[in-house]
Every structure is written in structure tokens, then in C-alpha cells.
Amino acid sequence: MSDTEASPELSLPHAVALSWGVAERPQRGPKRELSIERIVEAAIEIADAEGLGALSMAKVASALGFTTMSLYRYVTSKDDLLLLMQDAAATVELPEPPEDDWRTGLKQWTLANVEALRRHPWYSQIPVTGVPITPNVIRLVDMALRALRPARLSDNEKMACVLLVASYARAVGVVQAEIDGTGAPAEEVTGASYAPALAALITEDRFPDLAPVVASGAYTADDYDDFGFGLERVLDGIQRYIDETSHADASAGTTHAAAPALDREAEDAALYGSDKRVKEAAKARREAEKALREARKREREALRNARERAENMRAKAAR
């Protein structure tokens, strides 16, 4: 039997076959002291503590008290070990999703994935090479599809939604894990400790749109759930798509998507834009928008002046 064959019926890469338990395993000694599970567990402990760069077959063998060659009887390469580690780290437990609420279930799934990435920062450093083919990662996909069961979506659309939220979870998990790894206090992470300096450096003439955000305190705020907000908007997008489409003959796997609801205002503008009163109203709208932009500019100037006055007062008080 070749390394890429788990059985006459299955043809899988050796490490994938190992993850499914369908590959031949070496004959272990009478004490049965070493196993694939122990090797993977030790490797994960090293990667969690020291990072993926510190991981080697020799280091895993040393941690287990065996020779490096002993490990190769169980795991034939470091690449195989990484795949087995990735699958083992993908173990996530979730409550049963609501029967009629796909949104809550998918939100729970996404949050759980973020936390898994934070527990194992090295996970995202292993490149994505294709669709999931190991059991625990496939179980994650199955759990997401279970959450989406009540959603009126085709199979292709459900898989696209899983990829969408998984990508969002991966991006956020990577950032959170990197922040966790710095060990920096919250005020440094948010930039709050640098707020006065940032307010002085980020001026409206150089950064006209960011300056008022810094002045308002939103740039360094730590009491706003940016990730939660983004996730809700992603889920809003899926919900809107579901609302705007209909599907028929789901059992046959066919999908009949209804055309999105027409934007009535845009349609009317196209049909009646030449009407005299419509033109006058459109002109008034443009003038109002221009006035609003000017008002916002004055507001930014007022904020900058208020900030400068406050800084001058603090400077005088410190003398």
C-alpha cells in the first residue's frame, strides 16, 4: 500500500488518512508509550507556548522523551504533523443552534472560531491549500451548515456564506491573537495613552477626515465593539439577500432567485428626472448637501479650535 492510499477504497494523502483513522499505523511496542495523538498534543503545546517557528520534529521528540526517528514511524514529515495539529486545534464545542434562527447560530459559530484562533495563534500561519478534508475541520463546516439550515438558501449559497463568515472570523482572530501576544496594556493597544500626542499631530489640514474622529475620541475608544459591529453588518447582508430572493424546488437542488427589489426612488428618477419640479427638487437637494458639507467643515474647525484652547489652558495650568 502506498503512502497516499489508506485502503483499496480510499485514496488520501497520508496525513489526512491518519486524521480520519483509516491509515495503517505502526506496530507499537508492548508499553504503547507513543502514539500519533501524543505527538500531536505535544506539538500543539510547543506551538502554543513558543510559536510555530520553534516547532521541530526533534523538539517534539525531546518533549516526549523519544528520539526523532521514533516520531517518523508515526508521522512521516513535519508537513503531516502541521496538518494533524491544525485538525486537532479545530475542535470547537457549540450549543445546538436555534431551529428557526440561522443568524444566532452562525454568530455563535463565528465567535467560537475567533476564540479558537486566539487560543492557537499559530493556526492561521499554516497556509490554506484547499477545501477542508480533515474530520474536525469538516465538522466545523457541518456545524455552520447546521446553523444555516433554516435559511432559504441553495447549497452553493450556504457554502458561500460559510466562507464569508469564516474569512471574517479568521481576519479578526489573527488581529486579536497578535494583540494578545504583545501583552501590552489596553491603553496602549487602543492608543488612548497617546491620545494627546495624536490629537496634536493628526491635524485637519493633513488628515481632514480622520482629524475630527480623533478629536471626538472615537479613534482611541475602547468601549465600542468594532468586531461585533462588523459581524452584525455581515449577517445583515446575508439576511437582506435572503429577503430579496426566493428559492424553489430545493429538494431537486435547483434555485430560482427572484430579481432584487427595485429601488423605487432610482426608478422614478430615471423616468421622471426631466420634470421641471423634479429638477428643482434635485437642485435644492444638491444645495442642501453642499451646505451640509460646509457646516461639517465649520464643525471640524470649531473642534480644532476648542482642542487648541484646551491644550493651551492645560499648558498654562502646568506652569
Side-chain angles (χ1 to χ4, degrees), residues 91-157:
T91 303
V92 172
E93 297 300 329
L94 285 173
E96 185 69 13
E99 289 290 337
D100 57 352
D101 181 7
W102 66 265
R103 185 175 183 130
T104 296
L106 201 58
K107 182 177 180 179
Q108 291 173 340
W109 185 89
T110 307
L111 294 173
N113 274 270
V114 171
E115 290 308 308
L117 288 165
R118 294 180 73 175
R119 286 194 303 272
H120 306 293
W122 50 267
Y123 190 98
S124 60
Q125 297 172 22
I126 302 175
V128 176
T129 58
V131 297
I133 54 175
T134 55
N136 285 326
V137 182
I138 283 182
R139 181 172 174 267
L140 277 178
V141 177
D142 185 73
M143 293 165 73
L145 292 173
R146 171 66 186 87
L148 283 168
R149 189 182 294 177
R152 292 184 297 108
L153 295 167
S154 70
D155 289 347
N156 285 335
E157 290 165 343

Side-chain angles (χ1 to χ4, degrees), residues 158-229:
K158 287 180 179 179
M159 286 303 302
C161 289
V162 173
L163 178 60
L164 174 63
V165 294
S167 299
Y168 187 70
R170 186 181 181 92
V172 172
V174 168
V175 173
Q176 293 282 13
E178 289 177 352
I179 291 173
D180 294 342
T182 66
E187 58 271 18
E188 288 187 14
V189 172
T190 63
S193 58
Y194 315 119
L198 290 174
L201 294 169
I202 300 177
T203 57
E204 187 177 354
D205 57 331
R206 295 186 63 190
F207 309 100
D209 293 288
L210 179 59
V213 176
V214 173
S216 72
Y219 189 70
T220 55
D222 62 353
D223 57 351
Y224 191 81
D225 184 6
D226 303 281
F227 166 56
F229 175 84

Side-chain angles (χ1 to χ4, degrees), residues 260-283:
L262 292 174
D263 185 334
R264 185 61 180 272
E265 184 176 342
E267 181 185 13
D268 287 347
L271 291 173
Y272 311 116
S274 60
D275 183 89
K276 181 180 179 181
R277 292 183 179 178
V278 172
K279 287 183 177 180
E280 291 174 350
K283 181 181 178 182

Side-chain angles (χ1 to χ4, degrees), residues 12-14 25 27 36 39 41 45 71 89 99 141 160 185 191 203 218 237 240 250 263 276 297-298 313:
L12 294 168
H14 183 65
R25 298 196 176 202
Q27 295 297 319
I36 292 172
I39 293 170
E41 182 180 346
E45 289 179 359
L71 264 63
E99 289 290 337
V141 177
T203 57
R240 178 164 182 174
D263 185 334
K276 181 180 179 181
K297 181 179 179 181
R298 290 195 298 271
M313 291 177 64

